[in-house]
Amino acid sequence: AAAAAAGPFSLREVLDAFRRCVTEQREVLLEPYLSGWRGLIRFLQSLGAVFSFISKDAVAKVALLEAQHRQHRFVSLQSLVQHELAAGPAALRARPDSGCRTVLRLHRALRWLQLFLEGLRSGEPRTSVLCTDAYNASLAQHHPWVVRKAATVAFCALPSRDAFLEIMNVGSADEAVAMLGEAIPYIGDVYGITQELFAEHKLLDLP
Ligand code: 1Q0
């Protein structure tokens, strides 16, 4: 994993990580989940300094979860939730550094990713429009005005659709689009299972 993290971004790596996430028992494994996120963050970092306020936040959240993963040896999101809920829902809500609230933020961002990738696949050439639409339908409702404003400004600096397909590093534009089609259901699956898990435990509004 350390060696893989060094090279240029490849969408295949991210796809593989999210594919590895879901077990037969419909658990979401933490290690490939975080590995998928590390790949996405690397991609975001390659887009330049305009996005660093976003990547910094994502890096901090992944680091928090990595630390908890090392400390408690959680295998899955399910075991993390179970462990933190054992202290009681009120105690969990009071913690600004819980794994659950941190996962919830990444989880909402995963919905953004799913929508954005669907948009890229659809052929719409204006990535900033795609990105803004995906953001407004997902993360935006959880962000204060100032963050929404900064995000919307950053989206204007996004590369073109063709450039996006190229940085995915999977060959021609057609091949990149095909791989998006392969990746989106895996990401959707991880999103759906996590959404159900958090809904079941009433954790979808953790402060
Ligand atoms: C490609 C453009 C990337 C656009 C990412 C969209 C997300 C915008 C988010 C902007 C807000 C970030 C600033 C911090 C916000 C936090 O306040 C917020 C809440 O946390 P807290 O602790 O204050 O309650 N944090 C979040 O909502 C988490 C945001 C994480 C965003 C992670 C985005 C990772 C994106 C990776 C780039 C993927 C590129 C996709 C194309 C791949 C195809 C090859």
Side-chain angles (χ1 to χ4, degrees), residues 121 161 165 170-181:
R121 197 166 86 102
R161 178 173 188 271
L165 295 178
V170 287
S172 70
D174 285 349
E175 289 169 309
V177 169
M179 187 166 298
L180 282 179

Side-chain angles (χ1 to χ4, degrees), residues 94-106:
R95 282 182 59 194
D97 65 338
S98 72
C100 286
R101 77 160 313 271
T102 305
V103 168
L104 180 61
R105 269 61 184 175
L106 295 180

Side-chain angles (χ1 to χ4, degrees), residues 18 37 106-114 187 190-191:
F18 284 113
W37 273 106
L106 295 180
H107 169 66
R108 291 168 178 162
L110 205 60
R111 176 70 183 153
W112 164 82
L113 181 69
Q114 187 190 354
I187 292 169
V190 171
Y191 179 84

Side-chain angles (χ1 to χ4, degrees), residues 53-109:
F53 78 106
I54 304 174
S55 61
K56 273 184 191 143
D57 185 67
V59 164
K61 285 177 165 55
V62 168
L64 185 147
L65 291 171
E66 279 169 343
Q68 297 215 348
H69 180 54
R70 273 195 302 273
Q71 188 184 347
H72 299 287
R73 311 253 152 242
F74 300 127
V75 172
S76 64
L77 291 187
Q78 283 78 1
S79 52
L80 181 149
V81 166
Q82 212 162 44
H83 173 87
E84 290 193 343
L85 265 179
L92 178 53
R93 292 190 80 80
R95 282 182 59 194
D97 65 338
S98 72
C100 286
R101 77 160 313 271
T102 305
V103 168
L104 180 61
R105 269 61 184 175
L106 295 180
H107 169 66
R108 291 168 178 162

